Amino acid sequence: MSYRAPVADMLFTMRHAGGLQEGLGRGIYADLADGAAEALLDEAAKFSENRLAPINRNGDLDGAKLIEGAVKTSPGWREAYAQWIEGGWNSVTASPDYGGMGLPHLLNAACTEMWNSANMAFALCPLLGFGAIDAVESHASDELKSIYLARMISGEWTATMNLTEPSAGSDLNALRARAERQADGSYRITGQKIFITYGDHDMTENVIHLVLARLPDAPPGTRGISLFLVPKFLVNADGSPGARNDVVCVGLEHKLGIHGSPTCTMAFGDKAGATGWLVGQENKGLACMFTMMNSARMSVGLQGVALAERATQHALVYARDRRQGRAPGSSTPAGAMDAIVHHPDIARTLMTMRACADAARAICYATAGALDRSHRLADPAERKQAAERNALLTPVAKAFSTDIGNEAASMGVQVHGGMGFIEETGAAQFMRDVRIAAIYEGTNGIQAIDLVQRKLPLSGGETVRREIADMRGTVEKLRGSNAADLTDMAEPLGEAVQSLARATDYVLATLGSAPADALAGASPYLRLFGLARGGTLLAEIALAAHAADATDPVQAGRIATARFFARNLAPGARGLEPAITEGAATVREAAALLAN
């Protein structure tokens, strides 16, 4: 089944969950006014549907290969990437000072969703590049920017993030890659990095590696990590690629999914050492790394949305076509069978997929909108609040959305029944591809820890309290409505928000006195946050849909989706609350059993 980008739904979510409508009124999004957003998304949809989606399957079946020391991408990928550059898609949000368009992150969020729905393995290449561009633009010297940034922004040169090592995954204290100062101001980098996405490939003439390493006199732990820019080919004075640097791909991982994306083991310094240049300050690489990671975490959350959307589309087409049994109350002639979409359990499964995908999209777009406001608002106090909101929502966007992506893809296989377990239907690929999204760029457990330990205490807890107040405001709008299909949502969503508020109070109070108890409930807390925030954002979309025209089938569908989430999924918040506030003792007991 072909992918169709849900542009209208994306735009509606941008307007009423991402803040586009209000931002247009304030002049924040002047560059998306007068149909600009619609035109750009329509073009992105065409590229996704007509260029990226058709090569998705062959990327899965005939993935990247390491041949005689060089990585060869799947058939058709080099040509597609050349068209990607030609279309300017790599430069949407980047600085105009270096050839970027400078457009909003909210717009790019919708584009990123499309790229990944169409072809997640392909979209991983620019996804990593976006984070690297942010790091170089924010932290590199003017000289490095003048040499590398324009080509990175155009996509002419791709970029990577080299963090993980065999002994250093989530814990960078164990990082062993070394950097030695050179007389000319450069550094010699030695060591090995693993799980490097697009560490080598044949789509561009150069690859720019951002590498974490330690100097000989660096302090221990994460306080002694520096970040270095290490190109695959050194750059000549005229800007062209020159001599090959001492960095090579020595192996490709054989993975569960995303076969078209080369996941490389990179060796730095097999000969004299790879030449690199410092990004930022010595021993301050962690701050630079988080610039990359925050960008990537937002994009990975959108991967979860993207695969949930793709799996839902795929399953719905199958369910409308596949005939089995007779649905309750069927008017089908005797001896004939009904399409399985008419069976209540299948209908519930499909609506769960749709509602969860839409809720995750709303959270991701709200996160992107907060990032835009943190840069575009005139008032410094408002910018600070927006930046803190973006920080608060980022771990939720990443973890909740990628959990949803995994759940929706698995449900999609279930809708297909036995045929879902057969590779030819394509449902299994979505499940295999999206599985990594909950793991890389900080596992979802780490996102939960980050949310509880670092983001809830922002501004003494005022940031999360503002978010909860905003959710309560939505519930009050529902209660004040004169439409039964809107007021019907108020009670379950109100209870979800109250559960979140009580759980938040508990976590904030417990962090100082018993941090292990607070962290024992971190993952259920993040899930509870996602249910409350996702449900109330869908309610905002429903309120806007009702105001537009509740009799229009498209708007009625948006209201029905929000009601389904509120009545069927939001009540799960009540069950999560005691796991957060009362479950720590049982976690300690279980941990003691597991250790023996």
Side-chain angles (χ1 to χ4, degrees):
M1 173 250 163
S2 297
Y3 167 63
R4 288 293 175 262
V7 174
D9 287 334
M10 289 175 165
L11 282 163
F12 207 82
T13 304
M14 288 168 66
R15 287 182 178 277
H16 303 293
L20 176 60
Q21 188 81 358
E22 183 258 351
L24 286 168
R26 295 185 65 181
I28 298 169
Y29 288 123
D31 45 1
L32 296 185
D34 302 321
E38 291 85 341
L40 285 162
L41 291 188
D42 282 341
E43 287 304 311
K46 291 174 186 175
F47 189 81
S48 299
E49 295 167 358
N50 301 327
R51 198 64 192 89
L52 298 185
I55 59 173
N56 184 45
R57 186 63 174 160
N58 75 273
D60 185 54
L61 297 174
D62 189 7
K65 296 177 176 63
L66 182 61
I67 302 173
E68 297 180 354
V71 175
K72 305 295 183 184
T73 52
S74 300
W77 287 41
R78 287 183 66 183
E79 294 79 5
Y81 189 82
Q83 290 179 284
W84 164 273
I85 297 173
E86 185 180 350
W89 296 116
N90 211 67
S91 63
V92 172
T93 60
S95 170
D97 294 341
Y98 295 92
M101 299 182 195
L103 292 171
H105 292 277
L106 180 56
L107 177 79
N108 201 46
C111 292
T112 298
E113 180 191 330
M114 290 188 221
W115 314 139
N116 283 280
S117 279
N119 192 330
M120 179 175 165
F122 179 95
L124 268 170
C125 184
L127 184 154
L128 272 297
F130 296 153
I133 288 166
D134 287 346
V136 170
E137 188 172 354
S138 299
H139 302 287
S141 67
D142 289 341
E143 182 180 5
L144 286 180
K145 290 179 187 178
S146 68
I147 297 170
Y148 294 98
L149 196 51
R151 289 180 175 86
M152 292 168 66
I153 286 172
S154 71
E156 181 183 350
W157 295 349
T158 60
T160 71
M161 296 162 56
N162 283 250
L163 282 61
T164 306
E165 299 178 6
S167 61
S170 300
D171 185 2
L172 293 174
N173 285 294
L175 189 140
R176 295 180 180 177
R178 308 294 292 179
E180 299 278 351
R181 300 179 186 91
Q182 302 299 301
D184 64 357
S186 66
Y187 295 76
R188 293 291 182 186
I189 312 298
T190 56
Q192 188 179 91
K193 298 288 183 177
I194 62 171
F195 303 158
I196 308 307
T197 300
Y198 281 90
D200 190 36
H201 59 82
D202 58 356
M203 299 193 301
T204 59
E205 62 183 4
N206 210 353
V207 180
I208 311 305
H209 302 287
L210 294 186
V211 185
L212 290 181
R214 292 186 186 280
L215 292 161
D217 54 356
T222 56
R223 294 182 299 111
I225 296 174
S226 301
L227 182 67
F228 301 91
L229 186 153
V230 183
K232 176 180 176 179
F233 288 96
L234 301 175
V235 179
N236 295 321
D238 64 359
S240 63
R244 179 68 188 258
N245 207 353
D246 190 8
V247 51
V248 293
C249 172
V250 295
L252 288 184
E253 302 294 347
H254 299 280
K255 309 184 296 288
L256 176 68
I258 54 169
H259 296 151
S261 168
T263 303
C264 304
T265 298
M266 303 299 298
F268 295 82
D270 275 0
K271 299 174 183 176
T275 300
W277 289 268
L278 184 69
V279 175
Q281 301 177 40
E282 290 186 352
N283 306 321
K284 302 293 184 182
L286 203 60
C288 305
M289 181 201 76
F290 277 116
T291 299
M292 290 189 288
M293 291 291 284
N294 284 334
S295 170
R297 285 171 176 173
M298 177 69 225
S299 296
V300 171
L302 288 160
Q303 288 185 324
V305 177
L307 271 293
E309 173 65 38
R310 186 75 188 270
T312 302
Q313 289 189 19
H314 203 78
L316 183 56
V317 168
Y318 182 82
R320 287 169 174 166
D321 182 65
R322 174 66 167 165
R323 294 184 175 274
Q324 285 284 280
R326 291 174 62 82
S330 173
S331 59
T332 304
M337 294 185 291
D338 288 311
I340 63 173
V341 72
H342 297 298
H343 291 274
D345 184 65
I346 296 295
R348 169 177 285 277
T349 301
L350 290 166
M351 277 305 301
T352 299
M353 295 169 71
R354 165 54 56 215
C356 285
D358 287 359
R361 175 184 292 129
I363 290 172
C364 286
Y365 287 14
T367 308
L371 182 59
D372 285 333
R373 281 165 169 70
S374 72
H375 296 299
R376 292 180 166 224
L377 287 168
D379 182 7
E382 284 191 288
R383 286 202 304 272
K384 180 177 182 290
Q385 283 193 7
E388 290 190 350
R389 187 185 190 215
N390 173 260
L392 174 71
L393 292 179
T394 292
V396 182
K398 194 277 185 185
F400 181 77
S401 300
T402 54
D403 281 345
I404 291 305
N406 274 282
E407 292 163 19
S410 181
M411 284 187 275
V413 170
Q414 192 72 20
V415 169
H416 283 73
M419 293 305 296
F421 203 69
I422 306 300
E423 287 287 352
E424 286 110 297
T425 63
Q429 184 188 345
F430 306 140
M431 188 170 72
R432 289 187 289 101
D433 283 353
V434 77
R435 187 63 188 87
I436 185 60
I439 298 172
Y440 58 18
E441 306 310 332
T443 67
N444 285 1
I446 287 174
Q447 302 306 311
I449 292 169
D450 178 51
L451 174 64
V452 163
Q453 199 166 42
R454 297 185 179 89
K455 304 306 171 56
L456 294 192
L458 286 170
S459 291
E462 284 307 305
T463 299
V464 68
R465 291 189 181 101
R466 277 195 301 270
E467 199 69 24
I468 292 171
D470 184 74
M471 298 181 211
R472 284 175 169 149
T474 299
V475 173
E476 290 308 309
K477 290 181 196 175
L478 294 171
R479 289 196 175 111
S481 171
N482 58 4
D485 52 1
L486 297 180
T487 56
D488 184 52
M489 292 187 267
E491 181 181 352
L493 289 178
E495 289 181 358
V497 174
Q498 286 302 100
S499 287
L500 176 63
R502 289 189 294 266
T504 300
D505 289 342
Y506 167 83
V507 171
L508 285 170
T510 309
L511 270 174
S513 58
D517 286 1
L519 293 178
S523 288
Y525 178 83
L526 189 149
R527 182 71 176 202
L528 171 54
F529 197 117
L531 288 174
R533 183 70 280 187
T536 49
L537 286 172
L538 286 183
E540 286 289 343
I541 290 170
L543 285 159
H546 193 276
D549 183 0
T551 64
D552 177 75
V554 173
Q555 304 295 6
R558 291 176 177 137
I559 297 168
T561 299
R563 287 187 66 220
F564 180 90
F565 192 100
R567 303 300 304 186
N568 293 274
L569 303 176
R574 295 197 300 270
L576 290 165
E577 183 186 348
I580 300 159
T581 60
E582 303 168 16
T586 57
V587 172
R588 286 195 299 273
E589 292 166 7
L593 292 172
L594 295 171
N596 294 315

